[in-house]
Amino acid sequence: MVAKQISVFLRRYRTSISLCSLVIVLFLVNISIHSKNQGDLLTAQNKNNAEPDFSITEELRMLRLAFLKWRTCMREVLDDHQLSLDDMDPEDPQFSYLKWLVSQAEKKHKEVDEDTGENFDHLWHKLGSYADKCRSKTDLWHMEPETVVGTALKFFMPSPSDTSATFVRVGIGANVSIERYFKNRLSPDSEFYGADPVFMENSQIYSPIGIFFPFAVGNETGLKQATLKYSTERVSSKFVNHIGIDIFFKNLIRKDIIDYLIFEGDGGEYDMMAHLARDGTLDKAGITVCQINIEYHLPKEMKDPRKEIFRKHIVQFVRDRKYTLLSVTNMGNLRVFWVNTSSLECARRYLERLFSNDVDLV
């Protein structure tokens, strides 16, 4: 009797039961897919956050040790004694307490940290000697960059030399002699990108070399004032279209590795550094910059906020353990050369071979 009733029930509600079963199956499949995607995302995040293994070759190990010694030297000359979690072991039983100490130190630092014009002037004029001192005191003296003839521009050639490279320049100033220099030395399939708000002059000379973008690059997209430079050395200040630094690199350049970045956008360099820092916009987008030549234009007003921005960026870059400051040239404006020594890809392309002679002697 019961079996007959069950049979009738199943026949009557066969369609509903099938639909319910399908919904349950789809729900379980969706949970499975979601869990897999979350797992893949977590794996990718862990991979991106993982410290690269610089011990895979003796040259890279020497580079890493030299960089850590350089960083200690720079923190000393910059008088940067602030506590940093980068200097502490997460496995230390006291790590939670140390973390609290760091947070308190940072809070106090923000309350009392006021830069003066005197401090800025000292750093502006002494930064070059600091960089030279710390490079010569450590094994980073191996890293002697080349110089583009007739300029203060520093660089390293890729190894091997037939490796294709991505070259980006912001602020062309109606002069592409730098691009021609690199065009003759880099692999033929290297790519060149340039941006400048002066359209007529720059588009004509840049188009035969690479892709030209007719706008200024700054902290955000919009109409802002910029200093324009023409081929006649004439300079003027106008309101021009700007595109945000993050949009420029993520949506227009669209490269994971930028081998050479030359930034000469008048005033925009102070915005640029925040995007280049660890956990900055480019870092979060998975974009790595190997070599940076950036020109800082001297702030002339006593209370110009860019003075404090400059000081904080220099100190933060040293703390970040991402870039090494190899050269500073003071020509009124400050031309600074940073090299990415935290990226394994950049190290293998440009720096590993510089330590090979020492390895051969061991």
Side-chain angles (χ1 to χ4, degrees), residues 147-357:
T147 304
V148 177
V149 178
T151 75
L153 196 75
K154 307 292 184 179
F155 68 96
F156 290 105
M157 286 296 294
S159 179
S161 58
D162 60 355
T163 302
S164 63
T166 299
F167 179 102
V168 178
R169 186 178 175 197
V170 176
I172 299 168
N175 186 335
V176 291
S177 59
I178 293 173
E179 280 81 357
R180 292 196 183 104
Y181 183 90
F182 278 93
K183 195 84 170 176
N184 291 331
R185 298 201 57 183
L186 293 176
S187 169
D189 55 349
S190 294
E191 297 180 276
F192 290 76
Y193 301 87
D196 195 294
V198 178
F199 173 70
M200 291 301 293
E201 289 182 311
N202 290 299
S203 63
Q204 292 175 2
I205 61 176
Y206 208 93
S207 296
I209 294 172
I211 297 175
F212 173 73
F213 299 101
F215 42 68
V217 178
N219 199 41
E220 56 188 13
T221 300
L223 192 65
K224 294 174 62 179
Q225 195 166 17
T227 301
L228 311 183
K229 185 176 180 181
Y230 300 87
S231 59
T232 58
E233 297 296 323
R234 181 170 60 90
V235 175
S236 67
S237 182
K238 293 182 180 179
F239 280 90
V240 296
N241 289 320
H242 282 67
I243 191 166
I245 291 167
D246 53 343
I247 296 176
F248 179 66
F249 282 98
K250 288 192 294 185
N251 298 352
L252 296 179
I253 304 300
R254 302 177 66 181
K255 297 289 182 181
D256 293 334
I257 300 285
I258 307 296
D259 295 271
Y260 302 95
L261 171 61
I262 301 173
F263 201 95
E264 298 174 321
D266 183 44
E269 65 274 15
Y270 291 92
D271 296 328
M272 184 72 208
M273 299 307 284
H275 292 270
L276 288 166
R278 187 177 292 278
D279 296 326
T281 304
L282 302 190
D283 214 15
K284 291 177 180 178
I287 300 171
T288 299
V289 183
C290 291
Q291 303 180 49
I292 306 167
N293 277 274
I294 186 165
E295 180 181 11
Y296 282 98
H297 292 78
L298 175 63
K300 297 179 180 178
E301 298 296 328
M302 179 63 71
K303 295 189 179 295
D304 193 319
R306 293 180 298 175
K307 292 183 175 182
E308 178 64 2
I309 291 172
F310 173 78
R311 188 194 65 81
K312 285 185 175 181
H313 281 163
I314 297 299
V315 173
Q316 190 61 50
F317 265 41
V318 174
R319 287 182 191 160
D320 276 351
R321 298 195 299 179
K322 185 172 183 179
Y323 301 103
T324 297
L325 179 62
L326 284 190
S327 174
V328 180
T329 305
N330 193 334
M331 304 173 67
N333 295 333
L334 217 59
R335 294 181 176 271
V336 179
F337 178 49
W338 296 93
V339 178
N340 192 327
T341 45
S342 68
S343 163
L344 193 58
E345 180 65 26
C346 293
R348 302 215 76 165
R349 286 191 189 191
Y350 298 101
L351 308 175
E352 183 179 15
R353 62 184 170 82
L354 302 176
F355 289 80
S356 59
N357 289 338

Side-chain angles (χ1 to χ4, degrees), residues 3-15 17:
K4 184 177 180 181
Q5 289 177 336
I6 292 174
S7 177
V8 171
F9 177 83
L10 291 174
R11 285 198 303 269
R12 180 177 299 175
Y13 296 101
R14 180 172 54 192
T15 303
I17 292 172

